[in-house]
Amino acid sequence: MDNEALWSTIHHERTRLADLLETLTDEEWAHPSLCDGWRVRDVAAHVISTSDYSTGSMLVGAIRAGGNFDRLIDRMAREQGSRPTAEIVARYRRNATSRRKPPMVKPLDPLMDVLVHSQDIAVPLGRDHPMPTDSAVVVADHIWTRGFPFHAQRRLAGIRFEATDVEYSVGAGDPVKGPIGAIVLTLTGRPAGRERLRGPGTDALWTKCG
């Protein structure tokens, strides 16, 4: 996927997510997401607010968080999630086509964020929001080859993932099979992804992932 196709896909997926968010009830906005401790509104605000972060704001946030990356992201998500619902949705509409990203973020990270976090919102709400298979393949490879924060290759050594809805496989060992979207969620450590995978490596998968 070249740079233009990448950003076009990011913009499209942000718009799809904005369309979904506009249909949510107040109860759904307050519903727990797949991200531990985050409500749907916290995840939604986190996804789109990253396009607004500058180097300076990230540095200030890092100092406030004592240099702890996880604490920094959690605090920023909760702060942004406390904003009015209409403001969060309006930010999606305003920033859907933005190419800004936080410092040190790789080009594929914004695509990974919107695909994965869209499921963090849709899955617990029982909303149908399919992850596009072609983009999911690109994101799966990105997650598999990076280290922090997922460490997928090390954490999932001895397991081979095979997609059933698109031609894709990664890893070596006992196979587990399922939709590419479920594989992406599993590589990032989401139990909701593991629940949709089947095969000889399933027991090992749950042992490795808890």
Side-chain angles (χ1 to χ4, degrees), residues 137 161-170 176-181 183:
V137 165
F161 294 91
E162 299 177 4
T164 55
D165 54 348
V166 67
E167 187 174 343
Y168 180 78
S169 64
V170 71
V176 292
K177 301 181 179 183
I180 184 63
I183 291 174

Side-chain angles (χ1 to χ4, degrees), residues 86-203:
E87 184 176 333
I88 295 173
V89 174
R91 177 178 281 186
Y92 270 88
R93 297 304 185 191
R94 184 175 67 250
N95 290 353
T97 58
S98 172
R99 296 194 179 192
R100 292 186 62 187
K101 54 186 180 61
M104 308 302 291
V105 166
K106 297 180 180 179
L108 279 171
D109 287 341
L111 178 60
M112 176 186 69
D113 280 351
V114 70
L115 291 191
V116 173
H117 286 316
S118 290
Q119 300 307 305
D120 288 334
I121 291 169
V123 170
L125 296 180
R127 295 296 194 109
D128 185 31
H129 191 82
M131 189 182 296
T133 55
D134 290 347
S135 299
V137 165
V138 174
V139 167
D141 273 337
H142 177 55
I143 296 168
W144 185 256
T145 56
R146 67 180 291 166
F148 179 83
F150 307 116
H151 304 287
Q153 286 192 49
R154 183 186 68 195
R155 184 168 49 87
L156 300 169
I159 297 174
R160 176 178 175 81
F161 294 91
E162 299 177 4
T164 55
D165 54 348
V166 67
E167 187 174 343
Y168 180 78
S169 64
V170 71
D174 294 330
V176 292
K177 301 181 179 183
I180 184 63
I183 291 174
V184 168
L185 292 181
T186 301
L187 295 181
T188 63
R190 268 78 171 169
R194 302 197 299 269
E195 293 168 0
R196 299 171 63 196
L197 299 177
R198 299 291 183 270
T202 303
D203 289 343

Side-chain angles (χ1 to χ4, degrees), residues 14-131:
R14 285 175 177 169
T15 300
R16 285 185 66 217
L17 181 52
D19 292 341
L20 172 63
L21 294 175
E22 287 187 329
T23 71
L24 301 187
T25 65
D26 290 343
E27 291 76 16
E28 287 176 313
W29 276 94
H31 196 281
S33 73
L34 293 186
C35 296
D36 190 29
W38 284 8
R39 302 161 297 173
V40 163
R41 64 183 311 106
D42 299 323
V43 177
H46 165 72
V47 177
I48 199 61
S49 63
T50 56
S51 61
D52 281 339
Y53 292 151
S54 65
T55 301
S57 65
M58 291 294 287
L59 286 174
V60 170
I63 292 171
R64 290 176 59 199
N68 185 298
F69 177 79
D70 290 336
R71 188 183 303 148
L72 166 65
I73 297 301
D74 182 69
R75 175 177 292 172
M76 296 176 88
R78 293 177 187 276
E79 288 177 351
Q80 297 297 328
S82 67
R83 298 185 179 214
T85 297
E87 184 176 333
I88 295 173
V89 174
R91 177 178 281 186
Y92 270 88
R93 297 304 185 191
R94 184 175 67 250
N95 290 353
T97 58
S98 172
R99 296 194 179 192
R100 292 186 62 187
K101 54 186 180 61
M104 308 302 291
V105 166
K106 297 180 180 179
L108 279 171
D109 287 341
L111 178 60
M112 176 186 69
D113 280 351
V114 70
L115 291 191
V116 173
H117 286 316
S118 290
Q119 300 307 305
D120 288 334
I121 291 169
V123 170
L125 296 180
R127 295 296 194 109
D128 185 31
H129 191 82
M131 189 182 296

